[in-house]
Amino acid sequence: MTNFWDFSAWGFFNLIAVLLVALMAAHMLKRSIPWLQASLIPTSVLGGGFLLIISVIYNNITGREMFNTAFFGGNGAAWLELITYHMLALGFTASALRTTGGKLGKQRTAEIFNTGLTTVSTYLLQALAGMIICIIGGIFIKDLLEAGGLLLALGFGQGPGQAMNYGGIYESDYGFVGGKSFGLTIASMGFLAASIGGVIYLNILKRKGKIKLDKGSGAAQEAVEGENEIPLQENLDKFTIQIALIMVAYMLAYLLMLGLGELMPGMRNTIYGFNFLLGVLGATVLKNVMNFLRKKNIIHRNYTNNFLLNRATNFFYDIMVTASIAAIRLDIIGQYWAVLLILGVAGLVITYAYVLFVSKKLFPGYAEQQFLAMYGMLTGTASTGVILLREIDGDFKTPVADNLVYQNFPAMVFGFPILILATMAPTQPYLTLTIVAAFFLVINLILFRSLIFRKKKAKAEI
């Protein structure tokens, strides 16, 4: 029998409330402090930072972990990790349920394909740099796992959820002490890198007179009630239906992971680390089923709504980022601070330089907008990329916002091997490094195909 007065009945809800209060406090500070607003640091990062600072102070004064007190049910630290894990996948699942536009032209298809390849190529570059740094660092730092360098790509490129997933695998299966916090710290540094690099680039453009900061009209880009959609309110609220569809898709993902885990018990950790990818698969299956039922006139209206799905996605990501930063254990990664700092600086520099080069070469019509969006996404999350993009393209007049949405499919197809390599890296780091380098070269040959073959053709004609 449940005792409703017991902390165990309230701990999880207290934790969620504290995360949301931290977000609100960060929001109010950003609104009231001009230099903080100009920093472009996401509100969720500030909120998580507040909780991290408070928890460190509490731990130092009392000698106990704040999130493991009775107020949070005695198990709040584990809940933070679980929230980070699930919110990442729920955000991906909600995004995948969005309806897409009509057929794209040849040029737009090529631009979207190139955006996806840029994403994968940057992952590989981050992984290369990270592994080299950790291989060298392992000579001097005890317990540093060489494969930990791959967490630079997962933390910067894919965000806190994947960095924590694989950091956890490295910690539990390969003895990488503090692996989860190592990955989460890299992801947090990625958000700072997004803010620092974004502000630098915006100031460069302003000094050159190339841009005028554009906050846009603030109007929603999608309708709350689109054509042939269910009404906003009838016997069941429209937003409730969106949440229901997200949860059904995620349940399909769980059933698939459950089946694969039974078939391959030795890879269960890896399979469940792909929850975000299988969430996308579950959403895709659900979308196709609903489209089929609509064609057969079994259902007559569209049940998904892009505006509400975007709101759900942003909520999941805000909670994920705040929880992930709050979950960092500074006391168990103290020995890694030097290598973490080097990884953070290297991630900022190589991502900035590479994405800027690609944007200027392959997206000349809107290079500045493409750079800011891609750089923000490849150091933080897609939401971070949108934050930077809005500074100069507030009404999304360029196709960059669509590039971010549609590039997910080619990025997943070409990027999937990186996740396989991440499981191989702890046991075969040098082979993994070689494969990553070769894969990086191949992806760049495909990415710059138009420039490479144009030059060859021009030489042949001379």
Side-chain angles (χ1 to χ4, degrees), residues 24 39 91 128 175 217 279 282 367 422:
M24 292 297 295
S39 71
L128 266 175
S217 63

Side-chain angles (χ1 to χ4, degrees), residues 83-95:
I83 289 168
T84 302
Y85 171 78
H86 285 303
M87 291 297 126
L88 171 74
L90 287 170
F92 269 82
T93 304
S95 292

